[in-house]
Amino acid sequence: MTSYLIRRTLLAVPTLVVIAIVLFGILELTPGDPLADLPLTIPPEVRDDMRAALGLDQAWYVRFGLWLHQLFIVEPLVAIDAVLGTDFADGRKRIVSYQSHAPVMGTIAERLPQTLWVVGGAYVIGLAIAIPLGVLAANHRGSWIDHLITLTTLTGYSMPSFFIGVLVIAVFAVNLGWLPSVYDTTHMVTDAGSLWVQIKQMILPVAVLSLFNAGLISRYVRAAMIDVLTQDFVRTAKAKGLPARRVLFGHALRNALLPVITVAALGLPQVFGGAIVTEQVFQVNGLGHLLIIGIQGNDLPLVLTLAFLFAALVVVFNLIADILYAVADPRVRYTDA
């Protein structure tokens, strides 16, 4: 198992480099100029100086190499300095936004908690809803319970998140006035009252994302459970007189978790992607909103770094899914040979 994890980790490095090359190539070919919005009264020589200051006068491969160096060497050194109080990254040039001229990773770190509040809460709630619903639908396959759960989950999965977001805002924020329609990212949790305010403003965006997550994952749970419930070991457990709950959750569910783990682990990066739209609807000042600002301003370092981090999430959670396979099913083992 140890050597397998080492091999997978080492394999992830060239994978991430290839992803970075593809992302940089796509964004480099995208039309747009970060200095296009400058006033026309600025002299050409000043514009040239500004382009040189941003590094836009250099060849694409020079800028790409510098970005790789900053991402994989400088930024980790900055993180080490912050933890240990050292100065390994002192004087090194960091990835800087074209728009704000601030370090990109610092800006991402500031926005990350807002996204994690929404995305993390939505994913946990979505899983907590999806697994029981999938098990219940599979256990009552073909009944009205199964049809009702299927209709509900398919509706939540198929409806666009921006449409559901606008709908719940119109109902619960505008008409009923129960919940806020805009997420206040400046709100700080200091006591029970402020915690309740934070929970209230999280309800709508978290509910929209949770509905999508629950709808997707519950379909896989149902399909996997139906397949497992027809196998011999489940019939044997029932014939031995084991309680139905133990058979269902102790035997069947554990063996049905392998495909569900894949969907759940690889689905988390998709939730970050879906949060881009949801953050726009609810004005959550998180990573999704930051990405939109970067795209609108042709901010290549910001957009490239965010897109790479989203892609890296897929690689990381793919490895996590492989590890969880062995935890969920003792029959799955990765040899050290």
Side-chain angles (χ1 to χ4, degrees):
M1 184 68 172
T2 303
S3 62
Y4 172 79
L5 293 178
I6 295 175
R7 290 197 305 269
R8 285 297 303 271
T9 303
L10 294 177
L11 180 62
V13 176
T15 302
L16 292 175
V17 172
V18 172
I19 291 173
I21 294 173
V22 173
L23 288 174
F24 186 87
I26 293 175
L27 293 175
E28 183 69 17
L29 295 174
T30 303
D33 186 354
L35 302 180
D37 294 333
L38 292 177
L40 297 177
T41 55
I42 295 180
E45 58 273 14
V46 176
R47 286 178 175 269
D48 293 339
D49 292 340
M50 296 177 68
R51 294 184 66 85
L54 295 176
L56 295 174
D57 60 332
Q58 299 176 347
W60 66 268
Y61 51 85
V62 175
R63 289 185 283 114
F64 177 66
L66 178 61
W67 178 78
L68 282 181
H69 173 77
Q70 292 168 336
L71 182 65
F72 288 103
I73 296 179
V74 177
E75 295 299 341
L77 289 178
V78 171
I80 293 174
D81 289 345
V83 174
L84 302 180
T86 54
D87 56 355
F88 295 126
D90 187 31
R92 295 175 180 261
K93 184 178 180 181
R94 303 181 63 185
I95 304 175
V96 178
S97 168
Y98 288 162
Q99 295 174 297
S100 64
H101 306 289
V104 168
M105 295 302 291
T107 305
I108 292 174
E110 293 176 359
R111 303 288 188 97
L112 183 60
Q114 306 300 336
T115 298
L116 289 181
W117 271 104
V118 176
V119 174
Y123 209 66
V124 171
I125 294 175
L127 282 174
I129 295 174
I131 293 178
L133 283 183
V135 172
L136 184 62
N139 195 41
H140 296 83
R141 180 178 50 176
S143 66
W144 66 270
I145 297 177
D146 182 22
H147 294 317
L148 179 62
I149 293 175
T150 300
L151 176 63
T152 304
T153 54
L154 283 178
T155 301
Y157 175 64
S158 59
M159 294 182 67
S161 58
F162 66 87
F163 172 77
I164 299 179
V166 174
L167 182 63
V168 297
I169 287 175
V171 174
F172 296 101
V174 177
N175 293 337
L176 299 177
W178 293 350
L179 299 169
S181 60
V182 177
Y183 189 99
D184 182 11
T185 55
T186 63
H187 177 73
M188 301 294 293
V189 178
T190 57
D191 52 22
S194 60
L195 177 61
W196 173 239
V197 173
Q198 175 70 16
I199 293 174
K200 285 181 64 177
Q201 70 175 3
M202 285 177 57
I203 289 176
L204 291 184
V206 168
V208 171
L209 286 176
S210 298
L211 187 61
F212 173 83
N213 299 337
L216 173 64
I217 298 175
S218 65
R219 302 303 302 157
Y220 284 91
V221 174
R222 178 185 180 276
M225 283 294 296
I226 289 176
D227 180 65
V228 171
L229 288 174
T230 59
Q231 295 184 14
D232 293 338
F233 74 92
V234 174
R235 288 194 291 265
T236 301
K238 292 180 179 178
K240 289 182 177 181
L242 294 179
R245 183 181 299 273
R246 183 177 176 184
V247 173
L248 196 62
F249 292 98
H251 293 74
L253 179 58
R254 184 170 184 177
N255 286 274
L257 281 179
L258 288 183
V260 178
I261 287 174
T262 303
V263 176
L266 298 183
L268 184 56
Q270 295 180 3
V271 177
F272 275 91
I276 296 175
V277 179
T278 306
E279 287 182 3
Q280 288 296 106
V281 174
F282 294 97
Q283 296 299 304
V284 180
N285 198 19
L287 297 184
H289 186 261
L290 185 63
L291 180 61
I292 296 298
I293 293 176
I295 293 174
Q296 292 174 343
N298 296 307
D299 195 339
L300 180 61
L302 177 60
V303 175
L304 181 60
T305 304
L306 280 172
F308 177 80
L309 292 178
F310 287 152
L313 282 176
V314 178
V315 177
V316 171
F317 278 94
N318 197 355
L319 177 60
I320 292 175
D322 289 342
I323 298 174
L324 291 178
Y325 286 161
V327 176
D329 192 343
R331 296 171 298 178
V332 178
R333 286 293 179 264
Y334 304 109
T335 62
D336 291 333

